[in-house]
Amino acid sequence: MAATFDQIFILFRNWLVHFLPPAWQPAAGALLGVIGIVAVFPGLFALTTLLERKGLGRMQNRYGPNRVGPFGLLQPVADGLKALTKEDVVPFNANGLMHLLAPLVMVVTVFMSFAVLPMGRHMELVDMDAGLLFFFAMGAATELSVFMAGWSSRNKYSILGAMRAVAQMISYEVPMLLSSVAVVMIAGSLSLPKVVAAQNHYTGIFPHWYVFTPWGFGAALMFAIAAIAETNRSPFDLPEGESEIIAGYHTEYSGFKFALFFLAEYLGMFALSGLGVTLFMGGWSAPFSFLTWIPSWIWFFAKVMLAICVFIWMRGTLPRLRQDQLMNFAWKFVLPYSLLVLLVTAFWRFLPPGWERWVVCTVILAVAYVVMGRAAFKLKRVGPRSYRYAE
Amino acid sequence: MTPLGDYLLVAALLFAIGLGGALTRRSAILVLIGIELMLNAANLNLIAFWRYGPHPEALTGMMFAIFSIAVAAAEAAVGLGLIIAIYRHTQTTDLDRISRMKG
Amino acid sequence: MSIPFYLISALTIAGAVAAMTLKNTLHCALALTIALAGIAFLFLGLDAQFVGFAQILVYIGAVAILVVFAVLLTRSGESLLPAKRARTWLAGLAIAAVTFLVLGWSVLASLYGLPNETAAPSVTMQQIGNALMGPYVFPLEVVAVLLTAATVGAVIVAMHEKARNK
């Protein structure tokens, strides 16, 4: 029974497909998978916007949306209707084609990156040998669409936001790749289902997730920082800093195109959380060996939602960085530390198993963290903020 | 299956377009774009020959293409850095007007 | 099988032509992106997954963005003057045309000896990794040194004069 529930979507797909002639079955199966992704994640997006507004509201001692439907549950529907019925304003000087293409390219590439994520046992659209590389290649296309959006709007705030966003995404993409490479070194594969399979063992009741090893913890930390920066979320939301440059690269977008940007931002969050969960937190595997009877896809989505809650929590508590602080943090702390994590991962790979390698790796990473942090503070590279007020 | 000759023709055309652009345009950035196109045409040839060659499992062509991509990235970074530095000096990226050896 | 190939090649060549002929340098940079993406798809069509994705990651994710940044920093995209051509543009075009004719002629002349049908090689990432770390480890190290040197060099070249003299 548990196995049936675990594979219920696969079984459902196979049942639907078996009415077709055999030659069409693979294509139809893939199409159903695409429909599943395109249906599930925007639905999750709608729920997350509500969760975020409610959560932020609670953190700021207010209720959040509670007018539309019971507990404000229909708020996303109202938001969607509003976006659809709003006038679509395109600035007079704007480059029309690029203005239209930018949100489309962004949404399409983000959707494509979901294709390689294993969302449950055997629940990946394509088991690509170079899955991780595919994911990052799709992420690279986002930068270009952000730039297209900012430039085609012919607005100084748009172009400022786009330049900020692109600089930030390029800077944080490097540590993100490096910390993923650490996982690839240990798992020995770029295919995400294989990465999950490598973590799906238990010692006693505890799982072999990579986040529970010294190098994995360091890499997961760097990955989380880079992922928050990559999705332009607070405290790294300079590209859209409302108090500084209105709304950044989507200042000149309204109506449905703006909704598409909004959707792409949240989908990017889901995709990166999914990747982080897959790489470091065992993907769809259960956290304790006695909980394996719960279907694997529930675990995957539970972990993703947990990551989303952390995103919201961060947004509710941390103030925004300044541009120079952001860049210094990326190039002078996150990048060197990711390189060190990579080195320590190599030690871990080649030291004999036993308590010695735990001690060695933990000590190196902890000492480096403290020393680098202190040095950065002392040299005022990253350090505490200084404020200058207008006279 | 597309024959090998078609890939080679496409690569030849791309190379010629890149060469023509690099020779006729006068903006330093466009010359660099032309060079990138030529490099990509060469990569396309390498991969096509790897795919249709007698020993694809030896991976020689693919390795060559991978290294060529890495070198092209380095070339673009340094080239664009140079263009920006020259622009600071002369306020132009027009190659005909950057004719002095003196800084 | 062939129709996607011709579509993608047409798109690639159109992107390349646009990148070399458009007036606005920024449009050229974006057209270059189309050409590069087309080449990445051609790589995928040739069963070279790794190279195709690496092409997207490196060229579209980094090189195209660098070009765009350079265009904006040097204000090349703003000039409304007619596209400047070299004084020797006719000679340049002639050289390019002759190059294409020679290459095309040599391809067509040798078509008969070329293999047209081969089974798709099954190359796993494992094999590529082993090749990079085995027989090709020396070139790999050289490329690593080159990339480091290029990073440092690009930073120094693009640095402000004042900061360098300090």
Side-chain angles (χ1 to χ4, degrees), chain A residues 95 98 129 143 147 151 190, chain C residues 26-27 30 33 61 68 124-125:
Chain A
N95 189 322
M98 259 192 260
D129 207 20
E143 287 157 25
F147 175 79
W151 185 76
L190 278 169
Chain C
L26 206 84
H27 288 165
L30 292 172
T33 319
V68 160
T124 60
M125 296 297 297

Side-chain angles (χ1 to χ4, degrees), chain B residues 32 74-88, chain C residues 66 70 73-74 150 153-159 164:
Chain B
L32 202 81
E75 174 243 316
V78 175
L80 292 168
L82 280 174
I83 290 173
I84 291 172
I86 289 174
Y87 176 79
R88 283 219 193 92
Chain C
L66 268 181
L73 286 175
T74 58
V155 168
I156 290 177
V157 164
M159 205 185 265
R164 208 189 308 169

Side-chain angles (χ1 to χ4, degrees), chain A residues 170-194:
Chain A
I170 286 192
S171 311
Y172 281 91
E173 196 171 322
V174 182
M176 190 155 83
L177 272 165
L178 284 175
S179 47
S180 314
V181 166
V183 171
V184 172
M185 271 165 71
I186 298 292
S189 177
L190 278 169
S191 152
L192 294 175
K194 291 206 181 91

Side-chain angles (χ1 to χ4, degrees), chain A residues 243-259:
Chain A
S243 50
E244 300 165 19
I245 48 173
I246 309 183
Y249 55 86
H250 47 57
T251 302
E252 292 289 0
Y253 280 88
S254 59
F256 196 60
K257 287 186 200 158
F258 178 77

